[in-house]
Amino acid sequence: LTITKKIPVGLNPEGLVVSGNNLYVSNSGGLTATFDSTVSVINLTTLTETAKIYVGKNPTSVTADEDGNIYVACQGDYNRNPANLVKVNTANNSITKAADTTVGGLKYYGNALYVTGGYSGVQNVRKLNTTDFKAMATNFVTDGTAVSNPYSVNVDTQNGDVYVTDAKNNISTGALLCFDKNGVRKFSVSTAPGVNPNKVVFIR
């Protein structure tokens, strides 16, 4: 448990995803007045930053598909610069799609993006098309289960189960909910005494 390497990137690195032989790091700059607007490209062989991709103000969550694209949720500055969702072709680090939509957490799975409203407190988990970002489902949850404040999302690639964290009012105990691929709840658990649950990781 010792540090073997430190790789300088941008301000307040927040999200990580691997695509090909690169690690992509979203630099939010969320602890500064001006925010950052970049995603750092880290070569996994040399463990050095080889490029910065300018995607939009305050990038946070990031996910990747199997075709060499990454998707980045940019929160904006919560004022004049709106939130947006950006698709980047990693072959040339070019933006191929951008849309003004508020996304907090996001996860690519099965040719779709599962997204939460994050900081804006949007109550639905949406399922978006990866080409035009149009909604394949405005609410992925189909059985009427209420999610007060869906904060993050992840998908178990072994069975397609979708895990959503509910931050509630951000000061009370949160919850973790598991849905099957059809949006039907399988189970839920409290995160007590923890608040603001914001990450789901699978350990095999």
Side-chain angles (χ1 to χ4, degrees):
L1 298 179
T2 59
I3 296 173
T4 59
K5 179 76 173 181
K6 292 185 178 182
I7 307 168
V9 288
L11 296 173
N12 308 127
E14 191 155 340
L16 302 169
V17 72
V18 172
S19 180
N21 192 47
N22 290 317
L23 172 68
Y24 294 85
V25 183
S26 59
N27 304 305
S28 72
L31 300 179
T32 69
T34 56
F35 300 99
D36 202 326
S37 300
T38 64
V39 171
S40 292
V41 183
I42 307 297
N43 182 292
L44 290 175
T45 301
T46 63
L47 295 181
T48 57
E49 182 189 68
T50 59
K52 276 192 171 76
I53 308 168
Y54 286 83
V55 292
K57 197 172 286 292
N58 197 6
T60 53
S61 299
V62 58
T63 190
D65 65 21
E66 63 272 2
D67 296 321
N69 301 294
I70 63 169
Y71 304 84
V72 187
C74 302
Q75 305 302 321
D77 62 3
Y78 313 108
N79 190 5
R80 289 185 300 175
N81 291 280
N84 66 341
L85 177 62
V86 175
K87 179 179 182 178
V88 177
N89 182 343
T90 62
N92 53 18
N93 292 342
S94 64
I95 293 177
T96 58
K97 177 65 180 176
D100 291 338
T101 183
T102 301
V103 171
L106 76 164
K107 178 64 178 180
Y108 170 85
Y109 176 74
N111 295 316
L113 293 173
Y114 295 82
V115 305
T116 70
Y119 303 108
S120 67
V122 177
Q123 291 187 334
N124 292 345
V125 176
R126 293 178 291 156
K127 186 177 179 181
L128 305 182
N129 185 292
T130 58
T131 301
D132 55 16
F133 295 161
K134 290 183 179 179
M136 301 169 66
T138 56
N139 188 358
F140 164 74
V141 178
T142 59
D143 64 355
T145 298
V147 186
S148 302
N149 185 7
Y151 203 61
S152 73
V153 60
N154 203 352
V155 181
D156 187 341
T157 57
Q158 291 190 353
N159 57 18
D161 285 350
V162 178
Y163 289 77
V164 179
T165 63
D166 188 350
K168 307 289 186 179
N169 61 1
N170 300 111
I171 56 175
S172 301
T173 294
L176 169 68
L177 301 95
C178 175
F179 299 89
D180 68 18
K181 61 184 179 181
N182 297 312
V184 177
R185 184 176 67 175
K186 298 180 73 171
F187 64 86
S188 62
V189 294
S190 169
T191 61
V195 300
N196 274 1
N198 61 11
K199 191 67 66 177
V200 177
V201 178
F202 302 106
I203 301 175
R204 304 297 185 190

